[in-house]
Amino acid sequence: YIKLGQFVASSPTLFPAEYVTEFQKCLDNAEPVPFARIKKIIESDLKKDLSEMFSFVDEKPLATASIAQVHAAKLKTGEDVVIKVQKPGVDSLLTADLAFVAFTTKVLEFLNPEFKRLSLADITGDIRTTMLDELDFTKEAKNMAEFRAFLAASNNKAVMTPDVYPQASSKKVL
């Protein structure tokens, strides 16, 4: 439910101020995953030993959030990078949480037809789609490449987007 709390905290125009204030606690309280588990995710998803791809990976995360955590690293080719790694089990937890929210929304609309006019089920469906898309880092990599192309085409040099290294990226590693 952390991700849902973060959504509420980040949507002050949709929710009452006291909800937004309370749920802002969800923005700061993500527990880091031990590096041994992160290493297993990287190796499993990239189908390579960590040492084949990286000459160094800092075991202490730079940041941790509800879906992923980020580690400083150096590719074997010499580039300093950060690795965004999806936390273990987050996909099944988020899927279950969102299914519960969808079900609850439909029950609320059934119990109180007034809610149907607000399109809560439709809004919940859109939120579900967006949040589940966040679990696929290949989509994020594609979006970053498209944004980079847009910046280049518009000759915008004031904004930058990180480089993506496809050989070191996958559905759960970016």
Side-chain angles (χ1 to χ4, degrees), residues 13-137:
T13 58
L14 296 177
F15 299 99
E18 56 272 9
Y19 284 35
V20 171
T21 301
E22 188 62 30
F23 281 107
Q24 284 179 342
K25 295 173 185 171
C26 295
L27 297 174
D28 302 328
N29 293 336
E31 281 290 316
V33 174
F35 184 73
R37 293 185 71 194
I38 291 295
K39 181 180 177 194
K40 285 181 185 176
I41 293 167
I42 295 170
E43 292 178 336
S44 172
D45 225 49
L46 295 179
K47 296 174 179 42
K48 294 180 181 177
D49 273 359
L50 203 63
S51 61
E52 289 179 50
M53 190 67 56
F54 303 98
S55 59
F56 166 78
V57 178
D58 192 344
E59 293 187 14
K60 182 180 177 198
L62 291 171
T64 187
S66 59
I67 288 180
Q69 68 186 42
V70 178
H71 291 262
K74 185 181 280 276
L75 291 172
K76 284 279 198 172
T77 53
E79 295 95 335
D80 287 321
V81 296
V82 295
I83 310 169
K84 180 179 177 180
V85 183
Q86 190 175 113
K87 289 183 169 182
V90 75
D91 48 356
S92 57
L93 282 173
L94 189 57
T95 301
D97 287 353
L98 292 170
F100 174 75
V101 170
F103 173 76
T104 303
T105 303
K106 288 180 182 178
V107 169
L108 285 173
E109 285 184 346
F110 176 77
L111 294 174
N112 187 345
E114 291 278 320
F115 286 139
K116 214 168 210 160
R117 290 188 310 175
L118 298 173
S119 302
L120 287 180
D122 293 337
I123 292 168
T124 302
D126 290 345
I127 292 168
R128 179 183 184 279
T129 300
T130 300
M131 287 185 166
L132 291 177
D133 277 351
E134 288 186 35
L135 296 176
D136 187 349
F137 293 172

Side-chain angles (χ1 to χ4, degrees), residues 139-149 161-164 174:
K139 290 181 181 180
E140 185 174 346
K142 180 180 176 274
N143 290 340
M144 290 170 66
E146 288 174 4
F147 187 60
R148 178 183 291 281
T161 184
D163 290 327
V164 174
L174 181 63

